[in-house]
Amino acid sequence: MLLAQLSVRSGGFGNGSGDFLLPCRAMTEPASADAASPGVGDHAEIIEREAGLHRNLTPRQLSMIAIGGAIGTGLFLGSAISVRLAGPGVIFSFLAAAAIAVCLMWALAEMTVAHPVAGSFGVYAEMYVHPWAGFAMRYSYWLGQVIATGSEVLAASIYCRHWFPNVPSWMWIVGFSAALVYVNARSVASFGEFEYWFAMIKVLTITLFLILGASLLFGIGFPPIGIANYTGHEGFLPNGWQGVALGVAMAIFSFLGVEIVAVTSGEAKDPSTALPRALRWTLGRMGLFYVGGLAIVVGIVPWNEVGLGESPFVRVFEIVGIPAAAGVMNFVVLTAALSSVNCNLYLMSRMLFSLSRGGYAPAALGRLSARGTPLAALLVSSMGMFAALFVDHWFHARAYVYMLGSAFLAGIFVWQMIFVTHLLFRRRTAKWTRPPLRLAPRGPWSSAFGLMGLTAVLISTWWVPGLRITLEAGVPWLVFISLCYLVWRKVRSRKFSDGALQDG
């Protein structure tokens, strides 16, 4: 299946089972529309319940974490899908996806600076939309990260076969999993430093690719390739604008993960200045890497040959004459997979931590270790990773692909709800005496554009080969998680009425 070959970086679920022995108070409306300290006075209870995490992530780490979360093996190996749909017109597909991602990051930056908490967009949806939205977003995101981690650690074991074909896959899976769980369990600073260097390898590889690719196109030290591959092979738009439109779905898939920088806000040093800087840095480089990288790919390799046997990145390195190009790229995609696992473990543990502190999961998952890490939430999330691997091994052709489809829908659903939340955030905070930082243009237009664009992308997945499962599996998932919320609310209300829970 198409999705089984790609790296999933979105979505999430947890069943929230167990006894809710929760000391946390229920979320309340802002204490005053005229609060003097937006983000503190307005939602003091939200900030209080998510407190305790150590703010040790530096600006340089935040920027690299965002890049590491968004750039996975999908760019190196899975970008061929978009190229086969749109031809050289894939440049327009990724420009459209980048425009939506820019609007998303504007929206996230404004809300994150106002409320720097670990639950991030899930907490914002709870505050400004409805508790159901916060419940559904965080659990959906958690499930997607479980699936992503399972698929990435499995991919890492496959990449290791290139050098060690006789070593069983399970040994790599166990070894990588244990090592990265240990890194995350030590401290957030340890996670940040490891992710910084993981992401640096990807950044350097893509930068080298862009330089070498441009040299091949323009004939700097090599015979010039020129524009022949842009205009030949049925032209720049071989499948018309319909192909470009369908290519946007896979482009959005590639951008999923940039929202990780908002999740790190609960552990960032000086989030009011570091987060906007990290978001701007991330957007600029993401646009260059994705749009520039694919422009070079379709300029050097005929679009109808991309994806037939090897990564387009390997092809460029081989043309340049880099020794052992396949081995070099195998190392790069291995580090890309491990980087994604590292990020996903961080995200999963923070989502469960936030759910627990909000009253949506067992209280034990909201406790912190002496080093300030949600260790119980991390261990539960890592067990989910092994469960995903079990499902992949035994039910790969059936259940697992439905999980992947649910995860892809969850990613788009989370982005859509971020835009909805931002629209309501703008309306509510307009009444504050000291409005929060504004990064998006005035008015609702950027978030409205992003919301409409994502809705069109979601509908288009019905006609994208391999992505129809997104709607077939994802919509039932949203129905299921909504039923879970209704059951949780009924149980919680009954405990309140019985005096089992104390408010405040």
Side-chain angles (χ1 to χ4, degrees), residues 17 30 39 44-45 51 55 78 80 91 101 111 113 175 186 194 245 320 392 460 496:
S17 60
E45 294 193 24
R55 294 190 176 276
I91 297 171
M111 296 187 291
V113 171
R186 288 186 61 192
F194 268 79
V320 172
D392 173 65
S460 75
F496 266 119

Side-chain angles (χ1 to χ4, degrees), residues 320-360:
V320 172
I322 292 181
V328 170
M329 282 307 302
N330 194 69
F331 172 75
V332 172
V333 294
L334 172 62
T335 59
L338 295 178
S339 170
S340 293
V341 173
N342 198 39
C343 280
N344 292 341
L345 284 171
Y346 175 86
L347 288 168
M348 288 187 292
S349 61
R350 270 55 181 183
M351 285 295 116
L352 276 186
F353 166 82
S354 177
L355 283 162
S356 175
R357 289 295 180 94
Y360 302 112

Side-chain angles (χ1 to χ4, degrees), residues 416-466:
Q416 286 177 312
M417 290 305 303
I418 288 172
F419 285 125
V420 170
T421 305
H422 183 247
L423 291 170
L424 297 175
F425 168 84
R426 275 287 187 90
R427 179 183 300 178
R428 185 85 63 86
T429 57
K431 302 176 183 178
W432 288 359
T433 54
R434 247 190 342 148
L437 176 70
R438 300 298 194 202
L439 294 174
R442 295 176 63 88
W445 311 115
S446 61
S447 288
F449 163 77
L451 181 60
M452 290 186 293
L454 285 175
T455 302
V457 167
L458 181 59
I459 294 172
S460 75
T461 59
W462 190 257
W463 293 278
V464 177

Side-chain angles (χ1 to χ4, degrees), residues 58 276 297 410:
T58 64
V297 164

